[in-house]
Amino acid sequence: MSEVGADKIPTHVAIVMDGNGRWAQARHLPRTVGHRKGVEAARAIIKACVKFEIKHLTLFAFSSENWRRPSGEVSALMELFLSALKREIKALVEQGVRLQFIGEREALNEKLQQEMARAEEQSAGQSRLYLNIAVNYGGRWDIAQAAQLAVKDAIERGEPVESLTPEQLAGFTALADQPDPDLFIRTGGEQRISNFLLWQLAYAELYFTDTLWPDFGEAELGQAVADFSRRQRRFGMTSEQVGGRV
């Protein structure tokens, strides 16, 4: 990180935190132990983002497809999520972290929904790091609900639906008030996006690592950011047009 200039630090990092279960199984431990270690890794990465002056961090905590997992694991994940939220919110606020959740909350139990809303309210005044947690989230759902809202808005304004632009639709997606991710990271060795921020990742740089999420810390994040800093981002232009800009 000492070699990375401030102008080459990504503004927004999005992470699929993969490998908790495999980390535990490799140690002959229950998968739930891996998920608890995953919470510790998330805590370390949040601190590292504050240190590196990354302004936005989005973590994929639970996808809309994760309901297909064994019911016991899903229940344990929800309990872990609730307890971690209660335990961590004070420290997050002290670090200047603003917390926001994206996804369909209606499927979550009422107690968890209330705790999520309380955490958002408690951290609303912070701005050092915007931390977004995707819970019961899917990229296709995000685009579908954005399209529904955009069409409804157009009709209410008396505008033809056919005139909707990508920019207008983007205004109704999750994280519409934040810049799109510059850097996407997936741990655990898999090389796919898995229905995460499909709209927002259109021009993100993709970084895949074999490191399992519980072992992914500040040093590993630094390596990902250093790799990002060496890439030329062209956004459809040629290298000659972009020149030395990253």
Side-chain angles (χ1 to χ4, degrees):
M1 284 298 298
S2 60
E3 302 174 359
V4 180
D7 61 327
K8 295 184 179 180
I9 298 291
T11 298
H12 189 166
V13 175
I15 305 178
V16 171
M17 306 177 291
D18 197 11
N20 292 335
R22 283 174 286 152
W23 183 92
Q25 290 173 331
R27 292 161 176 76
H28 306 290
L29 298 170
R31 288 174 60 87
T32 52
V33 175
H35 292 308
R36 287 198 292 271
K37 292 294 290 186
V39 172
E40 295 178 16
R43 184 189 304 127
I45 291 303
I46 292 167
K47 290 182 179 179
C49 284
V50 172
K51 178 179 178 180
F52 297 160
E53 298 185 352
I54 293 169
K55 292 294 294 182
H56 303 262
L57 172 65
T58 301
L59 301 176
F60 206 4
F62 190 85
S63 78
S64 52
E65 287 77 29
N66 286 155
W67 294 107
R68 301 170 185 170
R69 293 188 176 190
S71 59
E73 182 174 351
V74 171
S75 296
L77 280 169
M78 291 301 164
E79 287 298 322
L80 177 61
F81 185 38
L82 180 60
S83 62
L85 191 55
K86 291 180 177 179
R87 185 176 62 250
E88 302 292 338
I89 185 60
K90 182 179 179 181
L92 291 174
V93 171
E94 290 175 350
Q95 293 178 80
V97 176
R98 179 178 179 177
L99 188 59
Q100 176 178 320
F101 298 94
I102 59 173
E104 290 187 276
R105 301 191 191 193
E106 292 75 13
L108 307 175
N109 68 66
E110 187 65 27
K111 188 174 182 181
L112 180 53
Q113 290 186 49
Q114 292 175 353
E115 197 63 33
M116 290 163 65
R118 189 175 72 88
E120 287 179 325
E121 182 179 356
Q122 286 184 324
S123 63
Q126 308 306 313
S127 60
R128 192 173 185 185
L129 172 67
Y130 291 84
L131 173 61
N132 310 297
I133 307 294
V135 183
N136 194 28
Y137 173 90
R140 290 179 174 177
W141 162 84
D142 191 359
I143 295 171
Q145 65 89 32
Q148 293 167 8
L149 293 172
V151 168
K152 180 181 178 181
D153 179 70
I155 293 173
E156 291 176 349
R157 291 186 292 105
E159 298 288 339
V161 174
E162 294 78 9
S163 68
L164 282 173
T165 66
E167 291 74 21
Q168 289 173 319
L169 182 62
F172 293 94
T173 58
L175 306 181
D177 60 334
Q178 300 182 44
D180 288 343
D182 306 292
L183 173 61
F184 166 87
I185 299 171
R186 181 170 187 145
T187 63
E190 304 291 354
Q191 298 188 18
R192 54 179 177 267
I193 296 175
S194 294
N195 198 23
F196 182 43
L197 298 177
L198 296 180
W199 182 277
Q200 296 87 344
L201 290 176
Y203 283 101
E205 297 296 321
L206 308 183
Y207 180 89
F208 301 100
T209 174
D210 290 334
T211 303
L212 301 176
W213 177 246
D215 294 326
F216 191 87
E218 179 181 319
E220 288 73 24
L221 178 62
Q223 291 174 2
V225 171
D227 180 85
F228 170 85
S229 73
R230 293 189 290 268
R231 301 190 189 185
Q232 186 184 63
R233 307 187 71 200
R234 296 193 292 274
F235 299 98
M237 297 182 287
T238 66
S239 298
E240 291 74 17
Q241 286 176 301
V242 175
R245 188 176 66 190
V246 176

